[in-house]
Structures are given as C-alpha cells and as structure tokens.
Amino acid sequence: MHAMRYAITLPADYDMDVIRERVATRGHALDEFPGLGLKSYLIRERGVAGSPVNQYAPFYLWRTPAGMNDFLWGKGFQGICDDFGRPVVQHWLGLAFEHGPAHADSPISATTELTTLRTAEPGTAVQAAIADLTAHAATPGVHCTALAIDPRTWELLRYTLWCAEPPAEAGVHFQVLHLSRPELDQLPTGRHW
C-alpha cells in the first residue's frame, strides 16, 4: 500500500462550489481505476471546522505501485496539472490499514495527522503507532484508517475516514465530497510488512 496526496491551496475568496462541481462531474472517473484502493476527494473551506484556508486536497491509498504510476503518468493526473498547475505530490510507504465499525456507511469527513519520529529507534516507534492505529480503528464513526511513513523525513501519517464528525483532536479536518473505492476491500488489513 502507498499513501499519496497533493494539496491545492486556493485564494481566500475562491468559490468552493467550483470544486464541488468538478468533483460531482469528474469524481466518478476513478471509481474503477485498477490498483487504486481508494481516492477521497477532500476539501477544506476557510472558516469551516477551524480551517484557515480554502483547499482541494485529494488523498489516495494505492493497492499497487503500478496503479499509482498509471495515474501519475497517464491522463488522470494531467487533468489536475492542466487546471491548477503541477502540484507537489506527497507519498508515504504504507505501514498498516484497518476497517472501522462504520465501514459499511459513506464517509463524510477525513482527518490527517502528521507526527515526526524523534526517537533513535524508529522500529519501536512504528510498532507503537501501529498499536495505536488498531485501537483508533475501533472508534465509533471510523470508516477506515491507515498509517504510512515517509522515511526521507521520518514523518508518520495517520489518515482516517469518518462517517460522523471526528473529534476536534483527531487532526486536520476535511470534508469528503466523493469516495472512489475500486479496490478498497482488497487492501490487506493489519501490518503491511
């Protein structure tokens, strides 16, 4: 599993209905994309849920590297580049994935939490983060949650889809406009190594 996202920060007075319309008319394009576990079409709106910015920030969990490559080097990503310029694409190696108790429902929000590993023993910290993810997955309202790492910066990312409003302390909040989930049920649960 690979986690990937790009965030397009928009002007403070940007009409976010433009993004809503974009997702409503184009979001289904990845509903059957090979190698894609899920793509959540996420936005943040300035002044909503504490967001200081307007932002379009799609998030992906790729089941296969081939799927991710097909998207990035094919027509999928080119649409973003054509409309907004080429954004920086962040990506992380998958460490663990779990379904939550609300897995059968449709998510309405997402959270991301970034943590920098500050220990000399990254293996110990990763094991503890996986144990925390397993406990977090049992939280009421969780659709699914994933843990990934960027070994270049030693940043851990916890990404969670919610079918209810998440707790305030759950990280950076996003609204989910659409969820493409062609191979979500094929993402292996538990630890990924």
Side-chain angles (χ1 to χ4, degrees):
M1 178 183 75
H2 291 272
M4 182 182 95
R5 78 168 173 193
Y6 44 88
I8 300 164
T9 301
L10 301 160
D13 61 350
Y14 191 85
D15 181 0
M16 292 303 285
D17 285 339
V18 172
I19 301 298
R20 286 185 179 85
E21 178 66 20
R22 176 189 183 87
V23 172
T25 58
R26 299 185 193 183
H28 60 86
L30 295 185
D31 286 353
E32 296 182 23
F33 199 90
L36 177 61
L38 68 81
K39 175 182 180 181
S40 51
Y41 295 77
L42 307 178
I43 64 168
R44 295 169 70 195
E45 284 187 90
R46 187 169 187 240
V48 176
S51 177
V53 297
N54 287 325
Q55 194 173 63
Y56 177 45
F59 188 93
Y60 304 75
L61 290 177
W62 292 98
R63 193 178 68 75
T64 67
M68 183 172 64
N69 287 335
D70 286 346
F71 174 78
L72 287 172
W73 319 133
K75 292 183 180 180
F77 187 61
Q78 189 60 47
I80 290 293
C81 296
D82 291 345
D83 293 346
F84 298 102
R86 187 179 63 206
V88 171
V89 177
Q90 296 175 284
H91 60 95
W92 298 263
L93 300 172
L95 293 173
F97 175 78
E98 297 291 346
H99 295 290
H103 182 67
D105 299 329
S106 295
I108 60 168
S109 58
T111 55
T112 60
E113 296 175 80
L114 286 171
T115 307
T116 301
L117 294 182
R118 302 201 185 280
T119 177
E121 298 180 12
T124 303
V126 165
Q127 291 291 352
I130 290 172
D132 287 345
L133 184 80
T134 302
H136 174 71
T139 305
V142 169
H143 178 275
C144 64
T145 187
L147 182 69
I149 190 165
D150 179 349
R152 183 181 61 85
T153 60
W154 294 108
E155 267 186 339
L156 282 173
L157 168 74
R158 182 167 79 181
Y159 167 76
T160 305
L161 282 171
W162 299 85
C163 295
E165 285 303 315
E169 69 277 1
V172 178
H173 291 225
F174 297 87
Q175 298 170 47
V176 176
L177 300 182
H178 179 73
L179 180 67
S180 293
R181 47 176 294 154
E183 297 181 12
L184 176 60
D185 293 333
Q186 296 174 45
L187 285 176
T189 58
R191 190 175 86 168
H192 283 212
W193 86 85

